[in-house]
Amino acid sequence: MSATPRISCVILCHNYGRYLDQAITSCLEQEPGNFALHEIIIIDDGSNDETEEVCRRHEKNIKVTRRSQQGFGQTLTDAFLLSTGDWVALLDADDWFHPSKLRTCAEAMTSETLFIEHWENVVDSNGNPKLQEPHPGGNTSTLVVHREAALSLLPVTNEIFFHTLREASRGAVLKDPLTFYRIHSHSMTDRSTAGLSQDYRAEVCLELSDRLRMMEGAPPTWATIRQLRGISQHFRALASGHRVESALQRRKHLSAMILLPGMLIATLRARDPIAPWLRSLSAAIAGQPLVQLSTPQGERAEQ
């Protein structure tokens, strides 16, 4: 890109005050590069812990929006409505950025790129490594999204909505682990209850699929009608896969087998690779889910 990209770091916080200082500091201590740190915004979604106190300690360097709790979807939506930079680097308050995060992502910002995701280091509640190797990203804290493109997808209920830009061939995937992704017992996503996370993801994918079909009447600048239809089918195929996985986690093996033909049809309609369906088929035959549930202590499973 010819102009220096302005990046807004937006931290989403609900009762993560004990981690917030590290998240803010990781934004402030970014290595210099071909970007401008335009602003750091904290969206305090109804916290009743030490979040307000932590924000006061950094008040000269941050902007704070504090309100009654409205939930993750609205907070994620507001991240783009409240920011004014060219790009938005999202950060859950219990995670933190590697010092080279913004510099490395800025190097991937071109006139055609609207979405950047990268890998992550998975750590425990104390920040100690849980996995020996970096893990693929895709979650909130591993995304940097072009604000104008994101506005066309609002309102959103989950960061999966922004993956649409990648599917439209407007994204870049970096294997650099640029975020420390914290797994702990108070994480927002419940992955200890069989099928719950998978059912939620299926609902999000179906909601997104329907939204994309509605956008066909007035396509955004980053996609054609044909692309929107194909991407819509892609997320329906993903929803089917999540439903199969949910059934396996709930030990409903017959239900999983019944769902597999629908997953195959959705995969073929989307013209997606058949490998995920084959993995689900093998898992159903073996009667073993692909995704492990979290430990009894409540921490999310290593994948």
Side-chain angles (χ1 to χ4, degrees):
M1 297 179 68
S2 55
T4 301
R6 301 173 303 158
I7 303 177
S8 298
C9 291
V10 184
I11 302 175
L12 318 180
C13 186
H14 173 68
N15 286 340
Y16 281 161
R18 59 196 178 281
Y19 303 124
L20 181 58
D21 185 85
Q22 186 173 25
I24 295 173
T25 301
S26 76
C27 295
L28 291 170
E29 296 183 349
Q30 287 293 299
E31 298 173 359
N34 186 33
F35 70 92
L37 178 55
H38 182 62
E39 59 193 351
I40 300 173
I41 299 174
I42 315 298
I43 303 180
D44 178 2
D45 190 43
S47 299
N48 54 19
D49 62 355
E50 62 266 42
T51 293
E52 185 174 358
E53 178 184 346
V54 175
C55 288
R56 281 200 299 269
R57 295 204 299 266
H58 291 277
E59 60 185 357
K60 293 182 179 179
N61 297 310
I62 64 175
K63 302 175 183 178
V64 181
T65 293
R66 185 172 293 110
R67 77 295 179 84
S68 59
Q69 187 177 3
Q70 297 181 32
F72 177 68
Q74 186 59 54
T75 303
L76 191 56
T77 296
D78 289 343
F80 293 90
L81 295 177
L82 295 171
S83 58
T84 57
D86 304 310
W87 290 79
V88 175
L90 300 164
L91 180 60
D92 286 329
D94 54 340
D95 302 330
W96 75 95
F97 289 156
H98 188 279
S100 65
K101 156 98 172 191
L102 299 186
R103 173 181 60 79
T104 303
C105 289
E107 292 171 358
M109 294 175 182
T110 69
S111 59
E112 295 299 315
T113 306
L114 300 175
F115 172 92
I116 298 169
E117 67 175 283
H118 56 74
W119 285 36
E120 62 195 4
N121 290 308
V122 180
V123 300
D124 63 18
S125 58
N126 295 318
N128 300 314
K130 278 186 67 68
L131 299 180
Q132 293 183 351
E133 300 294 332
H135 185 270
N139 55 65
T140 309
S141 299
T142 64
L143 304 185
V144 183
V145 188
H146 193 278
R147 180 175 180 271
E148 185 176 348
L151 291 175
S152 66
L153 290 162
L154 301 186
V156 301
T157 56
N158 185 276
E159 70 272 13
I160 292 173
F161 272 66
F162 303 122
H163 292 193
T164 300
L165 300 170
R166 179 192 62 207
E167 298 304 321
S169 299
R170 302 299 297 272
V173 180
L174 311 178
K175 290 190 176 182
D176 306 78
L178 301 174
T179 288
F180 293 88
Y181 177 60
R182 196 189 307 263
I183 290 177
H184 56 95
S185 59
H186 298 288
S187 297
M188 181 186 67
T189 302
D190 180 356
R191 293 185 182 176
S192 62
T193 303
L196 188 63
S197 175
Q198 301 299 325
D199 287 342
Y200 167 67
R201 291 175 177 275
E203 291 174 4
V204 171
C205 288
L206 289 174
E207 179 185 358
L208 175 53
S209 176
D210 291 340
R211 175 79 65 78
L212 293 171
R213 293 304 299 265
M214 292 174 60
M215 292 171 66
E216 290 178 17
T221 57
W222 45 265
T224 64
I225 293 177
R226 183 176 180 178
Q227 283 179 309
L228 290 174
R229 288 176 180 169
I231 299 169
S232 175
Q233 288 293 343
H234 167 73
F235 283 105
R236 286 198 173 275
L238 289 182
S240 296
H242 288 311
R243 284 175 166 172
V244 172
E245 179 65 21
S246 173
L248 290 173
Q249 289 186 7
R250 296 175 190 273
R251 299 183 183 277
K252 296 183 178 180
H253 301 151
L254 179 59
S255 297
M257 295 298 293
I258 293 173
L259 289 167
L260 279 168
M263 180 183 176
L264 177 59
I265 292 172
T267 298
L268 294 175
R269 285 178 175 172
R271 298 183 178 180
D272 283 353
I274 201 170
W277 180 81
L278 291 173
R279 287 195 294 268
S280 293
L281 174 63
S282 298
I285 293 173
Q288 296 293 330
L290 292 169
V291 180
Q292 297 179 8
L293 294 177
S294 58
T295 65
Q297 287 77 19
E299 292 194 344
R300 285 174 285 183
E302 299 177 8
Q303 297 180 23

